[in-house]
Amino acid sequence: MMSVLINGRIKNKRKVEDFVYNTLFDLMPRLKRTVYVDVNIVTQCDNDYHALCHGDKEEVVIELARESNGVKFTHNEMMLNLAHELVHAKQFLRGELHPSLQTWCRQDYSKTPYRDTPWEKEAYLLEGKILTKHWK
């Protein structure tokens, strides 16, 4: 079972909620335990990131920004950012990515440039595919 909560102002909130459910069910089809996913829509994320995700095997929290560096995102850009973070949500919930953001599948990546980490590579690889498949 999955509990999804969307907090904050966003266009088509119900459709966004369905996007989260459908994406995570697609990424984790055999999930048999209860997990919690909170998506907080904020004006800006810390350090002007487009979005942030943190969590563990039971709960993830995603912050999704409406703007970065004073420039507003289109709704589709926000959904692409959300798709990227949903890959990270899957990684946390499946225990692939440790909450420290330094360990992936029990291997230390603390000395690897962030863009070269396996969790970022996977998120960038899948974000467009997720958007195409689940955001209509």
Side-chain angles (χ1 to χ4, degrees):
M1 178 176 161
M2 189 178 315
S3 172
V4 175
L5 182 60
I6 310 287
N7 301 298
R9 293 182 299 112
I10 190 162
K11 180 179 169 185
N12 298 322
K13 192 179 271 194
R14 179 65 188 166
K15 187 176 176 185
V16 173
E17 186 177 308
D18 289 343
F19 176 65
V20 172
Y21 274 112
N22 294 336
T23 298
L24 289 175
F25 279 126
D26 192 34
L27 292 172
M28 302 181 301
R30 293 179 187 83
L31 183 69
K32 299 207 185 306
R33 59 193 164 77
T34 301
V35 297
Y36 300 91
V37 180
D38 289 347
V39 179
N40 300 316
I41 313 301
V42 298
T43 303
Q44 287 184 290
C45 290
D46 289 344
N47 299 319
D48 275 324
Y49 290 139
H50 296 185
L52 297 167
C53 181
H54 59 277
D56 55 33
K57 289 182 178 184
E58 296 173 10
E59 178 183 20
V60 294
V61 176
I62 296 171
E63 284 187 33
L64 182 62
R66 285 191 290 273
E67 66 180 58
S68 177
N69 291 311
V71 177
K72 291 185 179 187
F73 293 116
T74 67
H75 198 59
N76 281 342
E77 288 170 332
M78 288 180 68
M79 293 304 97
L80 182 65
N81 296 338
L82 180 57
H84 182 100
E85 299 309 319
L86 289 171
V87 175
H88 293 318
K90 181 269 304 183
Q91 295 165 345
F92 283 121
L93 293 169
R94 291 186 62 194
E96 298 165 340
L97 180 57
H98 188 271
S100 69
L101 297 176
Q102 295 184 353
T103 305
W104 170 263
C105 296
R106 298 184 183 179
Q107 290 189 320
D108 181 18
Y109 284 88
S110 60
K111 295 186 175 152
T112 305
Y114 192 71
R115 282 274 254 180
D116 294 336
T117 58
W119 56 90
E120 281 302 319
K121 286 183 177 182
E122 182 183 35
Y124 281 110
L125 177 70
L126 295 178
E127 65 183 21
K129 294 174 185 178
I130 290 168
L131 189 68
T132 299
K133 184 173 183 179
H134 296 291
W135 186 254
K136 297 172 180 116

